[in-house]
Amino acid sequence: MRDVGLTSEQLSHGLDAIATREPAIAAALERVGYPEPRIRPKGYMTLLRTIVGQQVSVAAAASVWNKLEAELGEGFAPHELLDRDFDTLRACGLSRQKQGYARSLCELVASGDLVLHELPEDDEEAIAQLVRIKGIGRWSAEIYLLFAEGREDIWPAGDLAVQQGVARLLGLAERPSEKDTRNLAEAWRPHRGAAAIFTWHCYNNPAL
């Protein structure tokens, strides 16, 4: 299992494999080219950043993160956050809800109940482990497994941009539902991770 997201070579290989059986993907590749890799560090910090960034702007999330690092130190360990009280974390910009999510993550990691470098190889089992964290749903778990672990067949069918990207790529009249998006990509196994990254690359792309 990889320790980083899908590389350029893996993306190209996966998309080329899909293009041999999906003419619409082959045509789109010729028009927009291959996507850039989307890689995040493996470990709890990436999941904590996901929690911090939920429902706020990129700038607001960066501000909160900078305050956390100023208080806890760069690369802080889970116990550093757990040792701080509510008001200290509130001053860093973490709401009560997000403090609950952050503590859930840090408690699972600090206790050894969640070992992020030893997640199950089966994707669904790994997702089940991750969604035990408060505030981490299936979509966040899938994004983590795709960007941080480079799992090649992750398909976040609930992502609206993925759904819209599929509609554009396949010339559909409307955005497909999550169930339809999942079904449409069955033929793209085991390279659906590359396909997901390609849908984001194509979303609102003026070349299409």
Side-chain angles (χ1 to χ4, degrees), residues 139 142-143 155-169 172 174-179 181-182 196 199-200 202-204:
W139 179 84
E142 288 172 332
I143 296 302
W155 180 242
D159 187 286
L160 296 181
V162 168
Q163 294 170 7
Q164 187 61 43
V166 167
R168 295 197 72 188
L169 285 168
L172 305 180
E174 58 185 23
R175 176 171 57 83
S177 66
E178 179 175 352
K179 180 180 179 180
T181 299
R182 200 169 298 283
T199 61
W200 288 314
C202 293
Y203 179 68
N204 284 338

Side-chain angles (χ1 to χ4, degrees), residues 7-205:
T7 64
S8 294
E9 292 76 15
Q10 288 178 302
L11 289 173
S12 297
H13 172 74
L15 289 169
D16 286 344
I18 294 172
T20 62
R21 45 193 136 142
E22 186 66 75
I25 298 292
L29 277 171
E30 288 192 8
R31 297 178 71 178
V32 302
Y34 295 93
E36 292 294 319
R38 296 192 178 204
I39 295 175
R40 300 289 183 271
K42 190 174 182 179
Y44 96 99
M45 280 288 193
T46 290
L47 288 166
L48 186 57
R49 278 186 173 272
T50 297
I51 290 169
V52 168
Q54 289 174 345
Q55 298 181 323
V56 297
S57 68
V58 173
S63 175
V64 173
W65 191 261
N66 290 338
K67 290 176 182 177
L68 282 173
E69 287 196 323
E71 171 65 32
L72 305 175
E74 188 174 347
F76 57 88
H79 73 82
E80 296 286 355
L81 186 145
L82 293 172
D83 288 344
R84 299 311 197 270
D85 61 21
F86 173 83
D87 289 336
T88 299
L89 295 178
R90 186 72 183 87
C92 293
L94 284 183
S95 66
R96 183 179 298 278
Q97 184 180 58
K98 286 192 178 180
Q99 286 194 42
Y101 296 166
R103 289 187 183 279
S104 173
L105 167 63
C106 291
E107 285 168 358
L108 285 168
V109 172
S111 68
D113 195 29
L114 177 64
V115 183
L116 291 170
H117 288 268
E118 298 178 9
L119 289 173
E121 291 191 17
D122 180 83
D123 292 339
E124 289 300 321
E125 290 180 12
I127 289 169
Q129 288 286 310
L130 292 170
V131 298
R132 292 185 300 147
I133 305 164
K134 292 179 181 177
I136 297 295
R138 182 181 180 90
W139 179 84
S140 296
E142 288 172 332
I143 296 302
Y144 176 82
L145 294 175
L146 181 57
F147 291 178
E149 292 202 347
R151 299 202 180 202
E152 297 189 41
D153 202 38
I154 291 292
W155 180 242
D159 187 286
L160 296 181
V162 168
Q163 294 170 7
Q164 187 61 43
V166 167
R168 295 197 72 188
L169 285 168
L170 301 183
L172 305 180
E174 58 185 23
R175 176 171 57 83
S177 66
E178 179 175 352
K179 180 180 179 180
D180 289 341
T181 299
R182 200 169 298 283
N183 290 336
L184 285 165
E186 278 299 308
W188 303 344
R189 291 178 180 270
H191 304 292
R192 293 180 301 169
I197 292 174
F198 190 56
T199 61
W200 288 314
H201 179 58
C202 293
Y203 179 68
N204 284 338
N205 193 309

